[in-house]
Amino acid sequence: MHQRVLFQVGFDFAVLTAVVVLFGMSQVGEPSTLMPGVAAQGLSLAAFLCLINTASGFYEPAHKRSLTQSCIRALVCILLVLPIAFLIGHLMPTSVLPAAALPAAALLGTAVVVGHRVYAAHAVLPAGLRPRVLILGAGERAARVGHTLKEADAGAELVGYYLTPNEGEIVVPAHQLLSAQESLAELVQRLKVHEVIVAPTERRGGGLPMDQLLACRTQGVRVLDMSSHFEKTLGQLRVDCIDPALLVFGKGFNQGSLRLVVKRVCDIASATLLLLASTPVMLVTALLIKLESPGPVLYRQERVGLNGRTFNVIKFRSMRTDAEKDGQPRWASAQDDRVTRVGRVIRRLRIDELPQIFNVLLGDMSIVGPRPERPFFVEQLVCELPYYGLRHSIKPGVTGWAQVRYPYGATVEDSLQKLQYDLYYVKNHNLLLDLLVLFETVGVVLTGKGAR
């Protein structure tokens, strides 16, 4: 899933940069000598547009918004980019374009990008271009896959459900059941299926036509199990359909020495830059906390980190000092009455997390990773949620895939949903995914999405 989002961001970035550069070069007299300045303006403007698109939700699945909502977001993007273009044109030392050239190029490029983003989200592809999907199974699991496919991948075309021999109760609509008189391989070839998702109720006892599935593979048809489908479509590893053998023998979960070194170097560089940039904000925050309520500005709380080792996370205090006067740990809720007025603001803007930069520099945390949890809750969640311990195979993060993909939660069910995103990150984490998480974190902060 993250590869698709990265492609969308990269496409928008490249298109706007190219439009600005081409438009700019047509406005200046000596293109060869002025190219660096024009390119710098185009790159800066493209970065801002991608951030605005992220904050607007343009890279989220299209089913979450209507066509009208997409058009309104496109208009907002254009209105926001224009003043940014004026600022870049007047403030950048490399500014070389005429006063109105950069805004004009920005308007043209943004119209192209957001227009394409709206069209791509809501256009109905011709039947010949839509991926055709067949689901093997007809029970509850197959129905769940079909629902997910309809909600999260509207471009795909579900050709129907193929009944397996050991299927129990049939849950899917009768009119979508395919005839079992024809073999699976022949049916796939006749219906021109591109992908088969294996989701039977019962997989034991020879219920899967393995020879037919192999024949599909040799025809160039993609065959996925449920876990791989949810991973590709939702960016999750669903704990209710994970095959332990796939975790052991499948791809992913790479923890090589080179990856660890690169991640640590990036953490130190990012934390240092973030510390320099955020120092004024942290100083103002510390003053406001001190003026509003008695008590320390910072607080330390024990959290579980890499390999289950505990450490003290550092955060700005956002609650009253008597928040847990009875000594009993409690989940922090979205409208927690223990939160101070200043605390509510800094939690909404994620400013309370900034002191965790020092945890990153000390090596206890990474910039990107699963959210560290308190030992009291970890003991509870390890018992209730399968595979929860896998979160601790990498360093916890200041931000993470679960934080940008799921709103703030304070229940075991919320923890389950976030765990499934965390498991996806643990399995697939790499530098590009880290960059995407950081990019989307900016959008989350700008919109206050999932604020506590």
Side-chain angles (χ1 to χ4, degrees):
M1 179 182 185
H2 73 271
Q3 291 94 336
R4 181 173 58 192
V5 178
L6 282 170
F7 175 80
Q8 293 173 345
V9 174
F11 178 85
D12 291 353
F13 189 92
V15 168
L16 185 58
T17 301
V19 169
V20 171
V21 170
L22 292 175
F23 188 91
M25 299 313 295
S26 68
Q27 302 296 309
V28 295
E30 301 180 20
S32 60
T33 58
L34 299 178
M35 173 65 81
V38 176
Q41 292 178 347
L43 291 171
S44 302
L45 192 60
F48 277 110
L49 175 62
C50 290
L51 285 175
I52 293 171
N53 280 351
T54 301
S56 301
F58 266 127
Y59 303 123
E60 296 176 356
H63 72 273
K64 295 184 177 181
R65 61 184 184 272
S66 66
L67 176 60
T68 301
Q69 289 174 325
S70 291
C71 290
I72 292 174
R73 295 181 188 196
L75 179 60
V76 171
C77 286
I78 292 174
L79 294 178
L80 289 175
V81 165
L82 285 177
I84 292 173
F86 274 108
L87 289 174
I88 291 176
H90 287 82
L91 298 180
M92 283 190 66
T94 54
S95 180
V96 294
L97 296 178
L102 186 59
L107 180 61
L108 175 62
T110 303
V112 171
V113 168
V114 299
H116 174 266
R117 192 57 51 218
V118 172
Y119 174 80
H122 298 281
V124 178
L125 294 175
L129 298 179
R130 300 175 66 187
R132 295 171 59 82
V133 179
L134 181 148
I135 298 176
L136 181 61
E140 181 63 37
R141 290 160 64 91
R144 197 187 323 156
V145 170
H147 176 75
T148 303
L149 195 67
K150 179 181 178 181
E151 289 293 316
D153 194 0
E157 180 180 355
L158 176 59
V159 299
Y161 300 85
Y162 189 85
L163 190 64
T164 59
N166 294 345
E167 198 72 61
E169 181 184 3
I170 297 177
V171 178
V172 302
H175 70 276
Q176 290 188 297
L177 278 176
L178 300 171
S179 173
Q181 300 300 318
E182 196 172 1
S183 73
L184 178 63
E186 292 173 342
L187 191 64
V188 163
Q189 189 172 31
R190 180 172 64 82
L191 296 178
K192 298 180 180 180
V193 172
H194 302 104
E195 183 174 286
V196 175
I197 302 175
V198 181
T201 300
E202 180 60 63
R203 298 186 62 168
R204 294 170 295 181
L208 288 182
M210 299 303 292
D211 57 335
Q212 294 296 308
L213 290 173
L214 181 58
C216 291
R217 287 289 303 274
T218 59
Q219 294 172 15
V221 177
R222 189 176 185 182
V223 179
L224 298 177
D225 62 358
M226 279 186 67
S227 179
S228 299
H229 162 70
F230 287 125
E231 182 178 352
K232 176 178 73 78
T233 307
L234 300 178
Q236 292 181 325
L237 278 186
R238 297 286 289 264
V239 299
D240 56 349
C241 59
I242 289 179
D243 184 350
L246 292 178
L247 297 183
V248 176
F249 299 111
K251 297 180 180 180
F253 299 102
N254 297 321
Q255 299 286 353
S257 299
L258 179 60
R259 164 62 181 158
L260 295 177
V261 171
V262 170
K263 188 171 178 64
R264 182 58 183 156
V265 170
C266 291
D267 283 341
I268 294 174
S270 301
T272 302
L273 291 174
L274 187 57
L275 179 61
L276 294 174
S278 63
T279 295
V281 176
M282 290 198 285
L283 290 176
V284 172
T285 301
L287 178 61
L288 292 175
I289 293 173
K290 200 66 179 177
L291 290 175
E292 183 188 24
S293 62
V297 170
L298 301 173
Y299 82 95
R300 291 173 174 79
Q301 191 176 68
E302 190 178 31
R303 299 291 177 98
V304 178
L306 179 64
N307 297 325
R309 293 193 296 268
T310 58
F311 68 99
N312 288 319
V313 71
I314 308 170
K315 300 178 71 174
F316 279 121
R317 180 174 61 84
S318 59
M319 292 188 178
R320 303 189 309 268
T321 54
D322 62 347
E324 291 182 354
K325 57 184 178 181
D326 58 358
Q328 179 68 23
R330 284 182 285 170
W331 294 101
S333 60
Q335 300 296 328
D336 203 315
D337 59 4
R338 299 172 295 167
V339 179
T340 64
R341 287 175 299 176
V342 172
R344 199 168 302 280
V345 174
I346 65 175
R347 286 161 71 95
R348 182 175 182 81
L349 298 176
R350 303 301 202 279
I351 295 174
D352 63 322
E353 310 280 358
L354 287 177
Q356 293 178 42
I357 296 171
F358 297 106
N359 288 114
V360 175
L361 294 173
L362 291 171
D364 295 323
M365 296 179 65
S366 179
I367 291 291
V368 180
R371 178 183 176 84
E373 196 50 82
R374 301 171 69 178
F376 176 86
F377 296 123
V378 169
E379 292 178 6
Q380 174 188 359
L381 295 172
V382 165
C383 296
E384 298 190 29
L385 303 180
Y387 306 107
Y388 190 84
L390 282 178
R391 298 173 77 255
H392 304 133
S393 63
I394 61 176
K395 286 183 181 180
V398 178
T399 185
W401 183 243
Q403 284 91 304
V404 300
R405 288 282 147 176
Y406 191 81
Y408 183 75
T411 65
V412 174
E413 176 59 31
D414 289 329
S415 296
L416 171 61
Q417 295 299 322
K418 301 195 85 166
L419 169 64
Q420 295 176 145
Y421 286 110
D422 284 333
L423 292 178
Y424 176 90
Y425 178 80
V426 173
K427 180 176 185 290
N428 297 286
H429 72 95
N430 54 40
L431 184 58
L432 288 178
L433 181 53
D434 285 355
L435 291 174
L436 176 60
V437 170
L438 291 174
F439 196 77
E440 294 202 1
T441 299
V442 176
V444 169
V445 171
L446 291 176
T447 59
K449 182 174 66 175
R452 296 159 293 176

